[in-house]
Amino acid sequence: MGLTPRQRTRARIIASELATIGPVLPGTVLRRETRCGRANCRCHANPPQLHGPYWWWTRSVGGKTVTRMLSDELYEDYRAYFEDQRRARELLGELESLALSALEADPRYGQRRGRGPTAPPRVVDKPRSGSR
Ligand SMILES: [Zn+2]
């Protein structure tokens, strides 16, 4: 039950790497060439001469996808925040994999597979959550 000694060691390494993470910005950043709205612009010609490339930052704000252009200078100044967010997600994903494999290897978990109730139970007690 729980993590193997090897998994426990890996989890400790991941946690210590997480401790080095600084401020993080949400969403994703892509470098893309783009077309503008002017119909007679060179970017609509054949073949098109696109604008950019520019940095495009896409994130979810209140359930809506919002995209903004970032100048090279602005992106470079905040690059570490975007990179740390990606790294934090990778590390958290690894911790999830470790915990999932521990749960799935637990014989008490395996016993219930394919049996038991088909509908989710009503909430009787919510676990405490640190997020949101
Ligand atoms: Zn254009």
Side-chain angles (χ1 to χ4, degrees):
M1 176 194 143
L3 301 183
T4 65
R6 195 196 179 105
Q7 288 173 326
R8 222 184 300 274
T9 301
R10 183 67 198 137
R12 261 197 298 271
I13 291 167
I14 295 166
S16 65
E17 282 184 49
L18 268 173
T20 69
I21 299 284
V24 295
L25 278 165
T28 55
V29 181
L30 289 171
R31 193 155 171 80
R32 284 256 171 91
E33 293 182 314
T34 186
R35 284 188 169 90
C36 73
R38 290 178 294 141
N40 58 352
C41 182
R42 60 184 170 87
C43 66
H44 293 281
N46 189 16
Q49 291 175 264
L50 302 177
H51 303 283
Y54 304 114
W55 292 107
W56 295 96
W57 174 34
T58 301
R59 67 190 165 126
S60 177
V61 180
K64 280 188 193 163
T65 300
V66 175
T67 299
R68 279 201 55 175
M69 201 183 87
L70 302 177
S71 69
D72 286 357
E73 186 192 12
L74 196 58
Y75 174 69
E76 286 306 326
D77 283 357
Y78 289 86
R79 176 181 216 140
Y81 293 1
F82 290 114
E83 286 175 353
D84 268 11
Q85 188 243 143
R86 216 173 39 216
R87 186 75 187 125
R89 283 159 82 114
E90 282 170 10
L91 294 167
L92 202 59
E94 269 198 76
L95 285 176
E96 283 180 354
S97 296
L98 286 175
L100 268 173
S101 62
L103 177 64
E104 285 168 355
D106 194 312
R108 294 167 301 170
Y109 179 74
Q111 277 169 14
R112 306 287 302 229
R113 201 175 297 156
R115 291 194 275 136
T118 52
R122 69 193 171 89
V123 175
V124 290
D125 189 20
K126 275 189 184 170
R128 281 185 301 143
S129 174
S131 59
R132 242 142 290 213

